[in-house]
């Protein structure tokens, strides 16, 4: 059975959610057959996800019985949902009952607050190895999907569980949305070892969230950088969390200051802080930094997970074999997906990645074989012929002023977004001095908030469109 669910102790609790549901592994195995059998094999199912039992049994059941879920947020924008429905014409919709009103399709099944709706679309051929599709971002406007093949999810679950040392005794706090690659990976890795996944839809800032994880004795937490910004604002290090033993990070780069803060907290309290890195195209995580190295490898994403291989290439695609090197980060492993789809015909395509993925991230390898993300290949501007990293500029400002910041722009001007009016002049003066570039090539915008998608990643194009005016529509804008 998928993720070895039928091989776990039948009376052990597999899923708990913040809506009061508790499901054992024995019951979950039964539910996979009940729910999965409702959809025809080799059919496409749009799954509108929430972090609860109803959403999970749909995803697991459909995969087990050969249907292909497309995981989407239950709160997906109406326009994007309409576009995706038109492009991919799914045979079914798996939706929270309260979202049924968005569709005019026949309900054929209901359980745990979720309904299966049958559309009037005809079935069409898909690649026999296709198992799952995920969107490449949580933002609106893009119909691009990542195509997962059979074996990707289980390989990643097994190898990440091994790298992190998860056992059946873990009670994982599943805060990140399951439609997001990192969120789904947290759930999969714990189910694979027979642990308990604590699903929650509570906001990290709410009292309900903390009451829930204390009551359910959560043992580990996985967050993106934005999650840790929130935790630190809440002074989580002063909270009474006796069961919480491991903090894990992925989904973007922490500032060195935040990384150090978490590493020091873990060391002082006898906990573990584990940094990691991954992409949707690699079924989430491909690296992890052993917790014992957190204090000596500040900012590192670590080394490859078991069965995986990291390597660097130069601008010509040639592998860099020197021990210490910097280039584009690439990965080989059984968790590399098949490629992309932008229309339903693409779901027939075979494996285009062939087990190897070039991330588009620049990384440095140190003498001990640990890797550090230094930026994105596309996240550079050329101001007065000087190559300037937008990612590095963000980090410099964040670390100097301890404020939220986002940078984008064109080769004519860099746009810098901050949320603190009092720092506007200082930021402009600071970054001009740091780069040695005239101030009139930078524009600082003071905004109410840095716009982010549901996984915490900055929505640069949205920021430009809303705040930078007509200049943001330039086709060469880098975001």
């Amino acid at each position: 059975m998928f993720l070895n669910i039928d091989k776990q102790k039948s009376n052990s609790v597999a899923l708990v959610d913040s809506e009061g549901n508790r499901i054992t592994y024995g019951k979950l195995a039964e539910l996979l057959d009940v729910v999965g059998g409702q959809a025809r094999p080799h059919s496409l199912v749009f799954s509108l996800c929430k972090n609860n039992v109803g959403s999970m049994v749909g995803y697991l059941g459909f995969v087990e019985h050969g249907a292909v879920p497309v995981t989407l947020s239950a709160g997906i924008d109406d326009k994007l949902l309409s576009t995706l429905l038109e492009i991919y014409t799914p045979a079914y919709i798996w939706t929270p009952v309260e979202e049924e009103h968005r569709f005019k399709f026949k309900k054929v099944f209901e359980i745990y607050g979720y309904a299966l709706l049958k559309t009037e679309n005809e079935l069409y051929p898909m690649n026999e190895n296709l198992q799952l599709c995920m969107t490449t971002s949580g933002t609106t406007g893009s119909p691009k999907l990542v195509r997962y093949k059979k074996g990707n999810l289980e390989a990643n679950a097994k190898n990440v569980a091994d790298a992190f040392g998860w056992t059946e005794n873990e009670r994982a706090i599943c805060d990140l949305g399951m439609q997001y690659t990192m969120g789904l990976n947290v759930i999969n890795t714990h189910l694979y070892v027979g642990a308990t996944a604590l699903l929650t839809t509570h906001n990290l800032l709410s009292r309900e969230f903390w009451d829930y994880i204390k009551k359910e004795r959560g043992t580990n937490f996985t967050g993106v950088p934005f999650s840790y910004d929130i935790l630190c604002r809440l002074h989580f290090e002063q909270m009474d969390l006796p069961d919480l033993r491991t903090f894990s990070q992925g989904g973007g780069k922490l500032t060195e200051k935040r990384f150090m803060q978490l590493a020091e907290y873990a060391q002082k309290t006898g906990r573990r802080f584990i940094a990691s890195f991954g992409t949707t195209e690699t079924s989430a995580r491909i690296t992890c930094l052993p917790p014992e190295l957190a204090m000596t490898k500040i900012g590192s994403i670590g080394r490859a997970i078991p069965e995986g291989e990291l390597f660097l290439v130069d601008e010509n695609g040639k592998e860099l074999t020197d021990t210490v090197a910097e280039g584009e980060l690439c990965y080989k492993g059984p968790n590399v997906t098949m490629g992309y789809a932008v229309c339903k015909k693409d779901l027939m395509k075979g494996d285009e990645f062939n087990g190897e993925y070039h991330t588009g991230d620049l990384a440095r390898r140190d003498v001990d074989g640990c890797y550090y993300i230094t930026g994105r290949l596309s996240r550079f501007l050329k101001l007065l012929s000087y190559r300037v990293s937008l990612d590095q500029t963000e980090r410099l400002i964040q670390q100097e002023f301890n404020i939220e910041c986002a940078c984008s722009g064109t080769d004519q001007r860099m746009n810098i977004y901050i949320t603190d009016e009092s720092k506007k002049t200082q930021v402009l003066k600071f970054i001009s001095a740091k780069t040695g570039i005239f101030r009139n090539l930078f524009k600082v915008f003071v905004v109410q908030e840095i716009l982010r998608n549901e996984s915490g990643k900055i929505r640069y194009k949205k920021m430009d469109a809303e705040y930078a005016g007509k200049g943001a529509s330039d086709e060469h804008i880098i975001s």
Side-chain angles (χ1 to χ4, degrees), residues 297-338:
K297 299 288 184 182
I298 300 297
S300 175
I301 59 171
R303 306 182 182 112
I305 61 172
E307 294 191 279
E309 176 190 345
L310 293 171
F311 61 101
L312 301 173
V313 298
D314 64 18
E315 60 271 21
N316 299 313
K318 182 180 178 182
E319 184 172 352
L320 299 167
T321 56
D322 291 345
T323 301
V324 177
E326 183 169 3
E328 183 183 3
L329 183 68
C330 304
Y331 175 82
K332 294 178 183 177
N335 47 305
V336 176
T337 56
M338 291 199 289

Side-chain angles (χ1 to χ4, degrees), residues 135-164:
T135 58
T136 54
S137 74
T139 58
T140 61
S142 174
K144 185 189 258 189
L145 303 178
V146 174
R147 299 179 290 116
Y148 285 66
K149 63 185 176 185
K150 293 174 183 176
N152 284 157
L153 296 167
E154 290 182 299
N156 202 238
K158 174 173 74 75
N159 290 320
V160 170
D162 184 12
F164 280 65

Side-chain angles (χ1 to χ4, degrees), residues 15 17 19 27 35 38 74 86 96 99 129 140 142 147 153 182 225 244 271 313 319 334 336 340 349 354 370 428 462:
L15 302 174
D17 69 21
E19 297 169 9
K27 179 65 173 177
V35 179
Q38 303 296 322
E86 184 178 345
E99 298 292 334
N129 286 320
T140 61
S142 174
R147 299 179 290 116
L153 296 167
M182 185 68 74
L244 199 53
R271 292 177 166 90
V313 298
E319 184 172 352
V336 176
Y340 301 111
K349 286 183 177 180
N354 295 310
C370 288
L428 185 59
K462 182 78 168 173

Side-chain angles (χ1 to χ4, degrees), residues 2 41-42 62-69 126-133 147-156 283 333-338 351:
F2 183 52
H42 309 296
F62 299 139
V63 169
E64 173 64 21
H65 283 263
V68 179
M126 297 186 290
N127 188 289
E128 62 180 11
N129 286 320
L130 186 65
Q131 188 173 65
L132 175 79
C133 292
R147 299 179 290 116
Y148 285 66
K149 63 185 176 185
K150 293 174 183 176
N152 284 157
L153 296 167
E154 290 182 299
N156 202 238
S283 315
N335 47 305
V336 176
T337 56
M338 291 199 289
D351 190 347

Side-chain angles (χ1 to χ4, degrees), residues 167-305:
T167 70
E168 63 182 15
N169 298 317
E170 293 291 340
R171 298 176 66 82
I173 301 163
C174 301
D175 167 58
L176 299 172
M178 61 172 285
Q179 73 281 355
Y180 168 50
T181 185
M182 185 68 74
L184 190 63
N185 177 259
V186 173
I187 297 168
N188 287 343
T189 55
H190 286 84
L191 292 180
Y192 191 87
V193 298
T196 301
L198 305 177
L199 307 168
T200 179
T201 55
H202 291 319
N203 188 294
L204 196 59
L205 288 165
S206 70
R207 177 179 292 275
E208 289 84 359
F209 176 89
W210 297 102
D211 288 346
Y212 173 68
I213 66 168
K214 286 179 184 178
K215 176 188 172 186
E216 296 298 341
R217 297 175 289 108
T219 61
N220 69 71
F221 173 81
T222 298
V224 297
F226 187 56
S227 307
Y228 284 107
D229 289 342
I230 292 173
L231 286 183
C232 291
R233 287 205 297 271
L234 293 173
H235 301 291
F236 79 96
E237 68 276 7
Q238 298 173 19
M239 294 181 181
D240 180 26
L241 302 168
D243 299 297
L244 199 53
R245 300 188 296 267
T246 303
F247 292 89
S248 170
Q249 171 266 329
K253 185 177 174 66
L254 291 168
T255 63
E256 289 189 6
K257 182 179 179 181
R258 185 73 77 215
F259 194 109
M260 175 69 84
Q261 182 181 3
L262 294 168
E264 287 179 343
Y265 169 72
Q267 184 183 63
K268 288 177 183 176
T269 59
R271 292 177 166 90
R272 303 190 308 161
F273 171 61
I274 304 176
S276 67
F277 174 84
T279 69
T280 307
E281 292 85 351
T282 55
S283 315
R285 291 165 162 133
I286 59 176
T287 77
C288 106
L289 179 69
E292 62 271 18
L293 297 181
M295 288 293 293
T296 56
K297 299 288 184 182
I298 300 297
S300 175
I301 59 171
R303 306 182 182 112
I305 61 172

Side-chain angles (χ1 to χ4, degrees), residues 434-469:
K434 276 287 182 183
T435 60
I437 296 173
F438 298 122
R439 292 189 199 183
N440 63 357
L441 291 175
F442 302 93
K443 185 164 184 178
V444 179
F445 296 86
V446 179
V447 298
Q448 248 187 338
E449 64 174 334
I450 302 298
L451 303 178
R452 299 174 185 271
N453 66 17
E454 57 197 10
S455 61
K457 293 186 178 179
I458 295 171
R459 300 179 66 179
Y460 293 102
K461 290 181 180 178
K462 182 78 168 173
M463 297 280 291
D464 288 327
E466 292 204 5
Y467 302 123

Side-chain angles (χ1 to χ4, degrees), residues 402-423:
N402 193 29
I403 58 175
E404 280 198 271
C405 172
C407 296
S408 64
T410 70
D411 288 346
Q412 285 72 50
R413 185 187 79 192
M414 182 186 294
N415 298 323
I416 300 172
Y417 301 100
I418 63 172
T419 55
D420 189 339
E421 176 76 43
S422 68
K423 300 289 196 301

